[in-house]
Amino acid sequence: MKRLFLILFFLWGISASAQSVFKRTLKLMGSRFDISVVAENQQQADGYIDIAVEEITRIEKLISSWDANSQTSMINANAGIQPVIVDRELFNLIKRAVGLSKLTQGAFDISYASMDKIWKFDGSMEMMPTEEEIKQSVSKVGYQHIDLNENAGSVFLDTKGMKIGFGAIGKGYAADQAKERLKALGVQAGIINASGDMNTWGRQPNGELWNIAITNPLNKDNVFAMLPVDNQAIVTSGNYEKFVKFNGVRYAHIIDPRTGYPSTGIISVSVMAAKAELADALATSVFVMGKEVGLDFINQLNGVECIIIDEQGNINYSNLIKPKQ
């Protein structure tokens, strides 16, 4: 009897400490966020998710270019006028972005926000912009004109009318920070999905790695690969819905900040890296670089992998990716 009691008590202990995945979907930073955490019950999960939302909201206020009172808006308003002293967190984010611009030779550039919006992807364009219009549209773009003063903690855009924006890395950075905040609180596992910018940690309650499904945009119901991810970020960007077509060429909404011309040849890029911020920036860069150059570039980076789907629906993998079919 005593032995039976001990066995029952042991089984009850396992059941009482059993954990499940709890998920909440909401709109943050103007986009859909799916926040999943492994917790013992709904009340505990709600507390964790509330903290993640608090962190994402804080970051949005820091990097927003829509809020006239944000430090980012102050930097833009003082372009060509004077440096602006900012919080160290924002300074370091801009510093990393400039570093990524150098790494990608300008395929990624946070000063893309200076571009004139001459391309329309809402069906209203009837003819291509002229070469001169395209050239002028990027005349104020250039990460080389972002002056960072490490000692003062200031940022100066040296050209009047120049702007920075975090559309290409902001959600990824928010996903990273929300993950770190929850890990610091002892949350053992979860996924922050910021509209395709995903960061994972820990494992599922059954002990298995998280598996991320990759679909072909030309056939969204068909999952062609399941990627097991171990404390990694994976970002998927697509341009299969926003594009224009002139003279038989399909121009997508991701624009090369160096030339002003939209990207061509690729419809989807998925990048795996240690952080969503990095994966986010690299996914944009690969679109701009094109399939061949993009794959070669990714294959030279340690700890980074990618999947590229071209306009013909062909699936291209970087060297070390091993999808679970």
Side-chain angles (χ1 to χ4, degrees):
M1 185 69 182
K2 182 178 180 182
R3 182 181 178 188
L4 177 61
F5 175 79
L6 288 174
I7 292 173
L8 290 174
F9 181 82
F10 176 71
L11 292 175
W12 177 86
I14 292 176
S15 175
S17 62
Q19 295 187 318
S20 302
V21 179
F22 297 87
K23 175 182 173 182
R24 188 189 304 173
T25 299
L26 61 167
K27 189 173 183 179
L28 296 165
M29 302 179 75
S31 301
R32 170 175 168 155
F33 273 68
D34 297 293
I35 303 174
S36 302
V37 296
V38 172
E40 294 181 5
N41 52 59
Q42 186 69 62
Q43 182 179 6
Q44 185 184 60
D46 285 342
Y48 290 151
I49 293 173
D50 286 345
I51 290 170
V53 171
E54 179 185 277
E55 180 68 2
I56 293 164
T57 302
R58 181 189 70 81
I59 291 166
E60 180 179 20
K61 291 179 180 178
L62 181 70
I63 68 175
S64 173
S65 56
W66 299 102
D67 180 357
N69 297 315
S70 74
Q71 292 182 15
T72 301
S73 292
M74 291 174 62
I75 292 170
N76 292 340
N78 283 279
I81 301 172
Q82 62 184 359
V84 175
I85 297 174
V86 299
D87 290 348
R88 180 54 60 170
E89 180 181 10
L90 181 59
F91 182 90
N92 288 338
L93 179 61
I94 296 171
K95 183 179 178 180
R96 292 195 300 274
V98 171
L100 283 167
S101 297
K102 293 176 181 177
L103 179 68
T104 62
Q105 298 183 341
F108 167 82
D109 193 327
I110 60 168
S111 68
Y112 80 94
S114 311
M115 280 192 285
D116 295 331
K117 307 299 187 292
I118 61 173
W119 295 90
K120 308 293 182 184
F121 301 96
D122 56 4
S124 64
M125 283 190 77
E126 297 180 354
M127 63 178 65
M128 279 187 67
T130 65
E131 286 188 22
E132 183 59 29
E133 287 174 328
I134 294 171
K135 181 180 178 181
Q136 286 299 316
S137 72
V138 292
S139 61
K140 296 183 181 68
V141 177
Y143 67 91
Q144 303 90 337
H145 299 282
I146 302 175
D147 182 16
L148 301 175
N149 187 316
E150 189 80 41
N151 293 329
S154 66
V155 182
F156 179 49
L157 310 181
D158 70 15
T159 304
K160 191 79 172 176
M162 191 176 175
K163 297 177 183 177
I164 60 172
F166 297 93
I169 58 170
K171 291 192 297 294
Y173 178 63
D176 291 339
Q177 292 302 104
K179 166 187 168 178
E180 292 306 318
R181 180 88 182 270
L182 292 180
K183 284 180 66 178
L185 292 172
V187 182
Q188 295 181 359
I191 302 177
I192 309 293
N193 181 0
S195 295
D197 295 7
M198 303 179 69
N199 208 337
T200 70
W201 73 102
R203 292 177 177 245
Q204 300 179 63
N206 62 7
E208 294 183 2
L209 293 172
W210 300 105
N211 285 295
I212 306 301
I214 304 294
T215 61
N216 190 325
L218 300 179
N219 184 3
K220 294 181 181 180
D221 295 327
N222 180 30
V223 175
F224 69 81
M226 293 291 291
L227 294 179
V229 289
D230 186 4
N231 196 34
Q232 281 186 305
I234 180 167
V235 170
T236 297
S237 297
N239 62 12
Y240 37 87
E241 294 176 341
K242 296 180 180 180
F243 65 91
V244 292
K245 204 167 186 178
F246 295 115
N247 302 319
V249 180
R250 184 180 180 278
Y251 296 95
H253 76 285
I254 297 176
I255 298 173
D256 188 337
R258 302 166 298 186
T259 66
Y261 281 88
S263 58
T264 60
I266 295 176
I267 60 172
S268 177
V269 175
S270 297
V271 174
M272 293 179 66
K275 292 184 177 293
E277 174 193 323
L278 174 61
D280 211 348
L282 294 181
T284 301
S285 302
V286 169
F287 266 110
V288 170
M289 293 175 179
K291 182 175 67 176
E292 286 78 15
V293 175
L295 271 177
D296 182 63
F297 171 72
I298 293 295
N299 282 329
Q300 296 179 58
L301 302 178
N302 292 326
V304 179
E305 301 297 332
C306 78
I307 300 174
I308 300 173
I309 302 176
D310 63 26
E311 289 180 354
Q312 288 72 45
N314 300 315
I315 303 166
N316 308 270
Y317 300 96
S318 58
N319 289 342
L320 298 180
I321 277 220
K322 295 179 180 178
K324 181 179 177 182
Q325 303 291 344

